[in-house]
Amino acid sequence: MKLYNSLTRSRDEFKTHTPGRVEMYTCGPTVYHYAHIGNLRTYIMEDVLEKYLKWTGYTVNRVMNITDVGHLTSDGDTGDDKMLKGAKREHKTVMEIAKFYTDAFFADCEKLHIRKPDTVVPATGCIGEFIKVISSLIEKGYAYEAGGNIYFDTSKLEKYYIFNDFDEEDLAVGVREGVEADGNKRSKTDFVLWFTKSKFEDQELKWESPWGLGYPGWHIECSCISMKNNGEYLDLHCGGIDNAFPHHTNEVAQSEAYLGHPWCGFWFHVHHLNTDSGKMSKSKGEFLTVSLLEQKGYDPLAYRFFCLQSHYRKGLMFSWENLDNAAAAYSKLVAKIAQLENSGSIDEAEYSRLRGAFAAAMDNDLNTSLAITALYDVLKSGLSGAGKLKLIADFDEVLSLGLINAAEKLKASKSGGEDIPPEVAELLEQRKAARKEKNFVLADELRDKIAALGYAVEETREGTKLRKL
Ligand code: AMP
Ligand code: ZN
């Protein structure tokens, strides 16, 4: 499989340290708010990658952290603490906020058919490990104490900017715009490993350490959680592209300084989901969630389909119109599958040819949109209904679009002649009229009323349809 590797900036043949086994790490969510559908784009693409690696025969050990402490709103070492901000906003403790949004994150993942990683570790569950690694970095001369905090000394590295896509000049200026310079740092690129002094005197979660009562920096958690659960050779590290710098750059700095050898061979970065006002972001406050999509009548899997239709290394523009198109295409695909009869013998040669086309698309830097084309080609092919259904189920082990299940449900609802309650039918007619008059506010209100009665309104190419919630 060829996969773009941010480390080499080229499409490399995917290799692992131990043949047949992938040690995979994923940066998990910062749990101070709901995940937005941009975050979830990243997790969807990582999920497809994991499932494809398994599909080709690898065993995958996947580890993920949950950032429940000390992630600052700026990427530097200053700015507000995101967890504290969330707790203040909702008048809860930091741990209550973390629990609530961790559960919400996994509930969203389930709706999008994103598999939960084998090991999930909250940062607060790994403090002893952070202290062990930081102590060793100090001993080895890679870290220093200043003003009560422990900093990583980037001047000790031969190469700090390992993902060369950045303009070093720009980055060196206070690391990021709007970040106040921290006078304790010897060099601007140095970063905090452990805080005992910060502007957050009201920090709720603090632990004893050799350097005093304090809490860890953000970057150290991923290095430690991975080294502990993936071992000292990591094959594949994933995250959104915004994490490449400084987060992943700092992870590499401290992990390799600690281990004394190269750490991770492959870096997989997913590009952003954007809206017309730029990157979707939690800290901007206004963002789209899976629940909102559901309230508006979209099947979360239609959003997954929307993501898979484009390449992970291109920014994806979100608009309701784009989502409507994807939702319509998804329903049409399900309807086609629902028409297949599970009968006939399977032409093995044709079956392998079509399967090979799917694999070739995925081997080509995870080209999911071509893989979906390969799926449509199955429908158009001369295979029997049984052959088509078997192959679609096989592809869907990777794509996880719930295709066979959705097709079965569609068939059942048709044969069962499910009766739509008259009040729902009436509201649907009113909504159609509102949309015709381009009164979208009223149309949205009516959609919500229909949802309250247990039905989702879906726009499909064949027109507006109802789905029982
Ligand atoms: P966070 O919860 O902010 O730590 O982010 C969780 C994951 O979502 C990280 O891998 C981020 O890089 C990624 N991410 C953040 N914003 C976006 C976006 N607009 N589109 C895609 N991925 C994103
Ligand atoms: Zn991370």
Side-chain angles (χ1 to χ4, degrees), residues 62-184:
R62 179 143 178 227
V63 179
M64 183 169 96
N65 68 305
I66 299 285
T67 300
D68 58 356
V69 62
H71 187 343
L72 309 176
T73 51
S74 99
D75 286 334
D77 302 321
T78 54
D80 292 331
D81 181 297
K82 290 183 179 177
M83 292 303 299
L84 260 183
K85 224 176 142 183
K88 279 186 186 153
R89 183 187 65 231
E90 296 182 22
H91 309 289
K92 288 189 180 144
T93 65
V94 166
M95 285 323 281
E96 281 165 351
I97 286 284
K99 161 104 185 63
F100 179 82
Y101 288 113
T102 303
D103 292 348
F105 172 72
F106 286 117
D108 285 345
C109 284
E110 212 174 302
K111 288 178 188 160
L112 291 164
H113 289 186
I114 299 169
R115 183 181 169 273
K116 193 172 182 178
D118 305 283
T119 306
V120 177
V121 183
T124 49
C126 215
I127 302 294
E129 198 65 19
F130 306 156
I131 293 175
K132 183 185 99 186
V133 173
I134 298 168
S135 303
S136 161
L137 288 172
I138 297 174
E139 247 167 62
K140 291 183 167 140
Y142 281 106
Y144 60 91
E145 186 173 351
N149 296 335
I150 308 295
Y151 293 84
F152 186 90
D153 187 350
T154 53
S155 73
K156 293 279 169 5
L157 303 173
E158 260 173 48
K159 193 170 191 284
Y160 170 65
Y161 295 107
I162 40 133
F163 304 113
N164 294 313
D165 307 58
F166 306 98
D167 180 337
E168 302 194 8
E169 285 284 300
D170 280 357
L171 296 174
V173 183
V175 182
R176 282 266 166 105
E177 240 177 275
V179 177
E180 305 153 35
D182 174 349
N184 293 326

Side-chain angles (χ1 to χ4, degrees), residues 25-28 65 218-219 221-222 237 243 247-248 251:
Y25 184 82
T26 299
C27 287
N65 68 305
W218 170 37
H219 315 298
E221 68 179 79
C222 287
H237 195 308
N243 277 349
H247 183 49
H248 293 159
E251 277 187 44

Side-chain angles (χ1 to χ4, degrees), residues 47-72:
D47 181 68
V48 170
L49 176 58
E50 176 191 350
K51 287 175 179 161
Y52 183 63
L53 290 169
K54 286 183 172 158
W55 194 83
T56 62
Y58 280 109
T59 303
V60 182
N61 176 35
R62 179 143 178 227
V63 179
M64 183 169 96
N65 68 305
I66 299 285
T67 300
D68 58 356
V69 62
H71 187 343
L72 309 176

Side-chain angles (χ1 to χ4, degrees), residues 365-378:
D365 195 17
L366 207 76
N367 195 330
T368 47
S369 75
L370 260 185
I372 287 175
T373 305
L375 181 79
Y376 282 113
D377 287 343
V378 170

